[in-house]
Amino acid sequence: MSDIKALITKLYAAFLGQFTGVVVVTPYAGCLSEFVRDFKADIVMVDEACRMDKADILMIVRHHDPGLFMVVGDPRQPGPFVHENHGNIVTNPFKEIMERSPLERALSYGVVVKAQLAWNHRGKGSLACLASELFYRHSMLCAEGKDAWPPEMLAWHEWLKRHCPSLIDGSQHILVELQGAAVEKLGTSSFNMAHVQHVCALVVLVVAAITEGNLRGLDGKQKSILVATFYKAQQARYMEAFDNMVSAKTLTREQRRLVNVRTVEGAQGFAADLVIVDFVNSTSPGFTVPKLQKTRPPT
């Protein structure tokens, strides 16, 4: 096995040595000695820079010497993650400073080229202009028009409206409150079985409509359902419940593959035709309040 790994390493080095194109890596992988030795980049672009602390940025600068170094990020996003305390004994006195990324600091000194997205090519339906309204002062245009609803989205809207007649035209959002749903604790995490049961029943209806061909994936892609929750304990309950539904033949294995269960933080960058967000807590916002406070409002 060690000989095979050595040969793969040599093959990888030979490939990088003659490759001309774009290589996408994480900051850590892009600074490994083998990678830096075998791949000499002419342009280095660092994305999501406002989520990176000074050590991450300096690590990239230290290991690369390109002709152009470009750092891109959105200062309105949360900054680098910093541990607030260690064992609830010692409070980090530099927390506030460390939560500001180098890019945000550079922006405050006026040494950053300011730019913003001009066109939204991925937004569909009522979500098409949401980013423009929230973050770009209505200046980002929708490539397909703000009223452009693909046939697939219209089908999903009609299906939702049959199950929720109060859903207004032009909206794809339904808020469900299960009053009195009990929240239980598992260590420091929380779960809510009433929510799990409600969502599982909804998923059965959705996958049945998908199987019958009434609901299709956007742009001809595989149909998908995302269940996102703020708590890992609730995520585990959902995964267990869906697997049990397969054992009970309530769902087929193919239907189960349509459902992806993630935490809200783990769902970043993930897209699905139907997204179900479970807040778990029904009487208080729980830990989501300080999380939301870290999201900087547009200025």
Side-chain angles (χ1 to χ4, degrees), residues 235-261:
Q235 179 191 21
R237 291 297 185 277
Y238 273 118
M239 296 179 70
E240 181 182 12
F242 288 131
D243 290 341
N244 289 340
M245 291 168 71
V246 174
S247 300
K249 301 188 183 305
T250 307
L251 292 177
T252 66
R253 293 190 181 277
E254 290 73 19
Q255 291 172 333
R256 171 66 181 89
R257 294 190 188 100
L258 300 177
V259 186
N260 202 304
V261 183

Side-chain angles (χ1 to χ4, degrees), residues 125-186:
S126 56
L127 291 177
C129 297
L130 183 61
S132 180
E133 294 172 4
L134 291 177
F135 301 110
Y136 291 94
R137 301 183 181 89
H138 301 272
S139 61
M140 185 168 62
L141 302 177
C142 305
E144 299 185 21
K146 65 178 182 179
D147 298 320
W149 281 58
E152 299 90 344
M153 289 193 67
L154 289 173
W156 282 88
H157 176 80
E158 293 302 321
W159 185 89
L160 289 172
K161 197 163 187 176
R162 284 199 299 272
H163 293 274
C164 182
S166 60
L167 180 67
I168 62 174
D169 292 337
S171 175
Q172 297 280 70
H173 308 90
I174 299 174
L175 176 63
V176 178
E177 180 183 5
L178 302 181
Q179 296 184 354
V183 177
E184 302 178 65
K185 300 291 290 187
L186 180 63

Side-chain angles (χ1 to χ4, degrees), residues 20-215:
T20 56
V22 179
V23 176
V24 182
V25 293
T26 63
Y28 175 77
C31 293
L32 292 175
S33 58
E34 295 85 354
F35 181 85
V36 175
R37 179 193 63 206
D38 299 320
F39 185 73
K40 304 300 181 183
D42 299 304
I43 300 175
V44 172
M45 299 181 65
V46 181
D47 194 14
E48 298 289 353
C50 279
R51 298 286 291 162
M52 302 173 66
D53 59 25
K54 183 169 63 176
D56 292 330
I57 295 290
L58 292 179
M59 176 177 65
I60 300 172
V61 174
R62 164 66 178 81
H63 287 89
H64 293 276
D65 185 24
L68 175 63
F69 202 108
M70 185 178 298
V71 179
V72 182
D74 187 346
R76 298 190 184 101
Q77 291 183 344
F81 175 77
V82 180
H83 285 286
E84 187 168 358
N85 54 57
H86 300 274
N88 296 320
I89 299 176
V90 180
T91 300
N92 187 344
F94 305 105
K95 178 176 181 292
E96 185 175 349
I97 298 175
M98 295 173 67
E99 284 182 333
R100 296 192 68 193
S101 67
L103 181 59
E104 186 180 359
R105 295 184 189 184
L107 181 63
S108 65
Y109 283 102
V111 294
V112 173
V113 177
K114 296 183 180 180
Q116 63 184 26
L117 297 176
W119 290 92
N120 182 350
H121 291 276
R122 297 195 298 174
K124 306 287 185 181
S126 56
L127 291 177
C129 297
L130 183 61
S132 180
E133 294 172 4
L134 291 177
F135 301 110
Y136 291 94
R137 301 183 181 89
H138 301 272
S139 61
M140 185 168 62
L141 302 177
C142 305
E144 299 185 21
K146 65 178 182 179
D147 298 320
W149 281 58
E152 299 90 344
M153 289 193 67
L154 289 173
W156 282 88
H157 176 80
E158 293 302 321
W159 185 89
L160 289 172
K161 197 163 187 176
R162 284 199 299 272
H163 293 274
C164 182
S166 60
L167 180 67
I168 62 174
D169 292 337
S171 175
Q172 297 280 70
H173 308 90
I174 299 174
L175 176 63
V176 178
E177 180 183 5
L178 302 181
Q179 296 184 354
V183 177
E184 302 178 65
K185 300 291 290 187
L186 180 63
T188 59
S189 192
S190 302
F191 64 95
N192 189 320
M193 290 307 300
H195 287 194
V196 173
Q197 294 169 5
H198 179 82
V199 170
C200 286
L202 174 61
V203 167
V204 170
L205 294 175
V206 175
V207 296
I210 291 175
T211 303
E212 294 168 2
N214 297 326
L215 298 176

